[in-house]
Short mmCIF file of all heavy atoms in Angstrom, two decimals:
data_model
loop_
_atom_site.label_atom_id
_atom_site.label_comp_id
_atom_site.label_asym_id
_atom_site.label_seq_id
_atom_site.Cartn_x
_atom_site.Cartn_y
_atom_site.Cartn_z
N GLU N 6 130.38 24.67 160.99
CA GLU N 6 131.70 24.11 161.22
C GLU N 6 131.80 22.67 160.73
O GLU N 6 130.82 21.97 160.61
CB GLU N 6 132.05 24.15 162.71
CG GLU N 6 132.15 25.55 163.25
CD GLU N 6 130.84 26.06 163.77
OE1 GLU N 6 129.79 25.49 163.45
OE2 GLU N 6 130.85 27.06 164.49
N THR N 7 133.03 22.24 160.48
CA THR N 7 133.28 20.85 160.17
C THR N 7 133.90 20.17 161.37
O THR N 7 134.48 20.81 162.23
CB THR N 7 134.25 20.72 158.97
OG1 THR N 7 135.47 21.38 159.31
CG2 THR N 7 133.67 21.34 157.73
N THR N 9 136.66 18.68 162.54
CA THR N 9 138.07 18.48 162.28
C THR N 9 138.87 18.82 163.52
O THR N 9 138.69 19.87 164.11
CB THR N 9 138.54 19.37 161.10
OG1 THR N 9 137.72 19.11 159.98
CG2 THR N 9 139.98 19.09 160.76
N ASN N 11 142.74 19.47 165.08
CA ASN N 11 144.14 19.72 164.80
C ASN N 11 144.87 19.80 166.13
O ASN N 11 144.42 20.47 167.05
CB ASN N 11 144.33 21.05 164.07
CG ASN N 11 143.69 21.03 162.70
OD1 ASN N 11 144.18 20.34 161.82
ND2 ASN N 11 142.61 21.77 162.52
N ALA N 13 147.88 21.17 166.74
CA ALA N 13 148.41 22.51 166.92
C ALA N 13 147.58 23.47 166.08
O ALA N 13 147.90 23.74 164.92
CB ALA N 13 149.88 22.56 166.49
N PRO N 14 146.49 24.00 166.62
CA PRO N 14 145.59 24.84 165.85
C PRO N 14 146.32 26.05 165.27
O PRO N 14 147.12 26.69 165.95
CB PRO N 14 144.53 25.26 166.87
CG PRO N 14 144.61 24.24 167.96
CD PRO N 14 146.04 23.84 168.01
N ALA N 15 146.01 26.36 164.02
CA ALA N 15 146.60 27.54 163.40
C ALA N 15 145.99 28.78 164.04
O ALA N 15 144.91 28.75 164.60
CB ALA N 15 146.34 27.51 161.90
N SER N 16 146.71 29.89 163.93
CA SER N 16 146.28 31.10 164.63
C SER N 16 145.60 32.11 163.72
O SER N 16 145.10 33.12 164.20
CB SER N 16 147.50 31.76 165.30
OG SER N 16 148.48 32.09 164.32
N HIS N 17 145.60 31.86 162.41
CA HIS N 17 144.98 32.83 161.52
C HIS N 17 144.53 32.13 160.24
O HIS N 17 144.91 31.00 159.95
CB HIS N 17 145.95 33.96 161.18
CG HIS N 17 147.12 33.52 160.36
ND1 HIS N 17 148.19 32.83 160.89
CD2 HIS N 17 147.38 33.64 159.03
CE1 HIS N 17 149.05 32.56 159.92
NE2 HIS N 17 148.59 33.04 158.79
N GLY N 18 143.71 32.85 159.47
CA GLY N 18 143.24 32.31 158.20
C GLY N 18 141.88 31.65 158.29
O GLY N 18 141.20 31.71 159.32
N HIS N 19 141.49 31.04 157.20
CA HIS N 19 140.20 30.37 157.09
C HIS N 19 140.38 28.98 156.47
O HIS N 19 141.40 28.69 155.85
CB HIS N 19 139.23 31.19 156.23
CG HIS N 19 138.72 32.43 156.91
ND1 HIS N 19 139.50 33.55 157.10
CD2 HIS N 19 137.51 32.71 157.47
CE1 HIS N 19 138.79 34.48 157.72
NE2 HIS N 19 137.59 33.99 157.96
N ILE N 20 139.36 28.16 156.65
CA ILE N 20 139.33 26.82 156.07
C ILE N 20 138.20 26.75 155.05
O ILE N 20 137.06 27.11 155.36
CB ILE N 20 139.11 25.74 157.13
CG1 ILE N 20 140.24 25.75 158.18
CG2 ILE N 20 139.01 24.35 156.49
CD1 ILE N 20 141.60 25.36 157.64
N LEU N 21 138.53 26.31 153.85
CA LEU N 21 137.53 26.08 152.82
C LEU N 21 137.48 24.58 152.53
O LEU N 21 138.51 23.95 152.30
CB LEU N 21 137.89 26.82 151.53
CG LEU N 21 137.05 26.48 150.28
CD1 LEU N 21 135.61 26.98 150.45
CD2 LEU N 21 137.69 27.06 149.02
N LEU N 47 147.91 28.26 152.44
CA LEU N 47 148.84 27.84 153.48
C LEU N 47 148.95 26.32 153.57
O LEU N 47 149.99 25.79 153.93
CB LEU N 47 148.40 28.42 154.83
CG LEU N 47 148.24 29.94 154.87
CD1 LEU N 47 147.68 30.38 156.21
CD2 LEU N 47 149.57 30.63 154.59
N ASP N 48 147.87 25.63 153.25
CA ASP N 48 147.86 24.17 153.29
C ASP N 48 146.71 23.68 152.44
O ASP N 48 145.61 24.25 152.50
CB ASP N 48 147.72 23.66 154.73
CG ASP N 48 147.68 22.14 154.79
OD1 ASP N 48 148.71 21.52 154.49
OD2 ASP N 48 146.63 21.58 155.13
N ARG N 63 140.30 20.29 151.12
CA ARG N 63 140.32 21.11 152.33
C ARG N 63 141.50 22.07 152.22
O ARG N 63 142.64 21.65 152.09
CB ARG N 63 140.47 20.25 153.59
CG ARG N 63 140.51 21.02 154.90
CD ARG N 63 140.75 20.08 156.07
NE ARG N 63 140.64 20.75 157.35
CZ ARG N 63 141.64 21.40 157.94
NH1 ARG N 63 142.83 21.48 157.35
NH2 ARG N 63 141.46 21.99 159.11
N VAL N 64 141.22 23.37 152.22
CA VAL N 64 142.24 24.38 152.02
C VAL N 64 142.29 25.32 153.21
O VAL N 64 141.27 25.88 153.63
CB VAL N 64 141.97 25.21 150.74
CG1 VAL N 64 143.15 26.15 150.48
CG2 VAL N 64 141.73 24.32 149.55
N HIS N 65 143.49 25.51 153.76
CA HIS N 65 143.74 26.54 154.76
C HIS N 65 144.36 27.73 154.03
O HIS N 65 145.42 27.60 153.41
CB HIS N 65 144.69 26.01 155.84
CG HIS N 65 145.07 27.03 156.87
ND1 HIS N 65 146.16 26.87 157.71
CD2 HIS N 65 144.52 28.23 157.19
CE1 HIS N 65 146.25 27.91 158.50
NE2 HIS N 65 145.27 28.75 158.20
N PHE N 66 143.69 28.87 154.06
CA PHE N 66 144.17 30.02 153.31
C PHE N 66 144.15 31.28 154.17
O PHE N 66 143.50 31.34 155.21
CB PHE N 66 143.33 30.24 152.04
CG PHE N 66 141.91 30.68 152.30
CD1 PHE N 66 141.59 32.03 152.38
CD2 PHE N 66 140.90 29.75 152.47
CE1 PHE N 66 140.28 32.44 152.62
CE2 PHE N 66 139.59 30.15 152.71
CZ PHE N 66 139.29 31.49 152.79
N GLY N 67 144.86 32.29 153.72
CA GLY N 67 144.89 33.57 154.43
C GLY N 67 145.98 34.44 153.83
O GLY N 67 146.70 34.03 152.90
N THR N 69 143.08 37.29 155.38
CA THR N 69 142.02 38.16 154.89
C THR N 69 142.07 39.44 155.71
O THR N 69 142.47 39.44 156.86
CB THR N 69 140.64 37.51 155.04
OG1 THR N 69 140.45 37.13 156.41
CG2 THR N 69 140.52 36.28 154.16
N GLU N 72 137.70 39.43 159.47
CA GLU N 72 137.21 38.10 159.77
C GLU N 72 136.09 37.69 158.81
O GLU N 72 135.86 36.51 158.58
CB GLU N 72 136.70 38.03 161.21
CG GLU N 72 137.80 37.87 162.25
CD GLU N 72 138.51 36.53 162.10
OE1 GLU N 72 137.84 35.49 162.14
OE2 GLU N 72 139.74 36.53 161.93
N THR N 74 134.09 36.87 155.48
CA THR N 74 134.42 36.33 154.15
C THR N 74 133.27 36.56 153.18
O THR N 74 133.21 35.91 152.14
CB THR N 74 134.72 34.83 154.25
OG1 THR N 74 133.61 34.15 154.87
CG2 THR N 74 135.98 34.57 155.06
N ILE N 95 133.00 27.45 154.44
CA ILE N 95 134.15 28.26 154.81
C ILE N 95 133.99 28.70 156.25
O ILE N 95 132.88 29.00 156.70
CB ILE N 95 134.28 29.47 153.85
CG1 ILE N 95 135.59 30.19 154.05
CG2 ILE N 95 133.10 30.41 153.98
CD1 ILE N 95 135.87 31.24 152.98
N ARG N 96 135.09 28.68 157.00
CA ARG N 96 135.03 29.07 158.41
C ARG N 96 136.40 29.59 158.86
O ARG N 96 137.44 29.24 158.29
CB ARG N 96 134.66 27.87 159.29
CG ARG N 96 135.72 26.77 159.31
CD ARG N 96 135.40 25.70 160.33
NE ARG N 96 136.35 24.61 160.30
CZ ARG N 96 137.51 24.59 160.96
NH1 ARG N 96 137.86 25.65 161.68
NH2 ARG N 96 138.31 23.55 160.90
N PRO N 97 136.43 30.44 159.89
CA PRO N 97 137.71 30.90 160.45
C PRO N 97 138.44 29.75 161.14
O PRO N 97 137.81 28.91 161.78
CB PRO N 97 137.30 31.97 161.46
CG PRO N 97 135.89 32.32 161.14
CD PRO N 97 135.28 31.11 160.54
N VAL N 98 139.75 29.72 161.01
CA VAL N 98 140.54 28.70 161.68
C VAL N 98 140.39 28.80 163.20
O VAL N 98 140.40 27.78 163.90
CB VAL N 98 142.03 28.85 161.28
CG1 VAL N 98 142.93 28.03 162.19
CG2 VAL N 98 142.23 28.42 159.84
N THR N 99 140.25 30.01 163.70
CA THR N 99 140.21 30.22 165.14
C THR N 99 138.87 29.87 165.77
O THR N 99 138.76 29.88 167.00
CB THR N 99 140.53 31.69 165.47
OG1 THR N 99 139.64 32.54 164.72
CG2 THR N 99 141.97 32.02 165.11
N ARG N 100 137.88 29.56 164.97
CA ARG N 100 136.58 29.21 165.54
C ARG N 100 136.67 27.83 166.18
O ARG N 100 137.02 26.85 165.55
CB ARG N 100 135.49 29.20 164.46
CG ARG N 100 134.09 28.85 165.01
CD ARG N 100 133.06 28.87 163.92
NE ARG N 100 132.94 30.20 163.35
CZ ARG N 100 132.31 30.46 162.20
NH1 ARG N 100 131.77 29.48 161.52
NH2 ARG N 100 132.26 31.70 161.75
N LYS N 101 136.34 27.76 167.45
CA LYS N 101 136.39 26.50 168.18
C LYS N 101 135.08 25.75 168.03
O LYS N 101 134.01 26.34 168.11
CB LYS N 101 136.70 26.75 169.67
CG LYS N 101 138.08 27.32 169.93
CD LYS N 101 138.35 27.46 171.41
CE LYS N 101 139.76 27.96 171.66
NZ LYS N 101 140.05 28.07 173.13
N LEU N 102 135.20 24.47 167.84
CA LEU N 102 134.03 23.62 167.66
C LEU N 102 133.39 23.34 169.02
O LEU N 102 134.04 22.77 169.91
CB LEU N 102 134.46 22.31 167.00
CG LEU N 102 133.39 21.45 166.34
CD1 LEU N 102 132.75 22.19 165.17
CD2 LEU N 102 133.99 20.15 165.86
N LEU N 127 143.68 21.63 171.59
CA LEU N 127 142.56 21.16 170.78
C LEU N 127 141.62 22.34 170.53
O LEU N 127 141.23 23.02 171.47
CB LEU N 127 141.79 20.04 171.50
CG LEU N 127 142.35 18.64 171.45
CD1 LEU N 127 141.48 17.70 172.29
CD2 LEU N 127 142.44 18.12 170.02
N PRO N 128 141.25 22.58 169.29
CA PRO N 128 140.38 23.72 168.97
C PRO N 128 138.91 23.42 169.22
O PRO N 128 138.08 23.46 168.32
CB PRO N 128 140.67 23.96 167.48
CG PRO N 128 140.95 22.59 166.95
CD PRO N 128 141.69 21.87 168.06
N ILE N 129 138.59 23.09 170.47
CA ILE N 129 137.21 22.81 170.83
C ILE N 129 136.83 23.62 172.07
O ILE N 129 137.68 23.95 172.90
CB ILE N 129 136.96 21.31 171.09
CG1 ILE N 129 137.84 20.78 172.22
CG2 ILE N 129 137.16 20.50 169.82
CD1 ILE N 129 137.56 19.33 172.61
N ARG N 279 142.09 13.23 163.59
CA ARG N 279 141.79 14.30 162.65
C ARG N 279 141.08 13.68 161.47
O ARG N 279 141.61 12.80 160.81
CB ARG N 279 143.08 14.97 162.19
CG ARG N 279 142.84 15.99 161.07
CD ARG N 279 144.09 16.77 160.76
NE ARG N 279 143.86 17.64 159.63
CZ ARG N 279 144.67 18.62 159.30
NH1 ARG N 279 145.73 18.87 160.02
NH2 ARG N 279 144.41 19.37 158.25
#
Side-chain angles (χ1 to χ4, degrees):
E6 296 90 344
T7 59
T9 305
N11 295 290
S16 59
H17 67 283
H19 287 74
I20 300 294
L21 170 68
L47 304 175
D48 179 67
R63 180 184 186 274
V64 186
H65 176 197
F66 68 90
T69 55
E72 280 295 304
T74 55
I95 190 170
R96 66 172 176 86
V98 167
T99 54
R100 181 179 298 166
K101 294 184 177 181
L102 198 63
L127 280 177
I129 59 175
R279 173 173 175 166

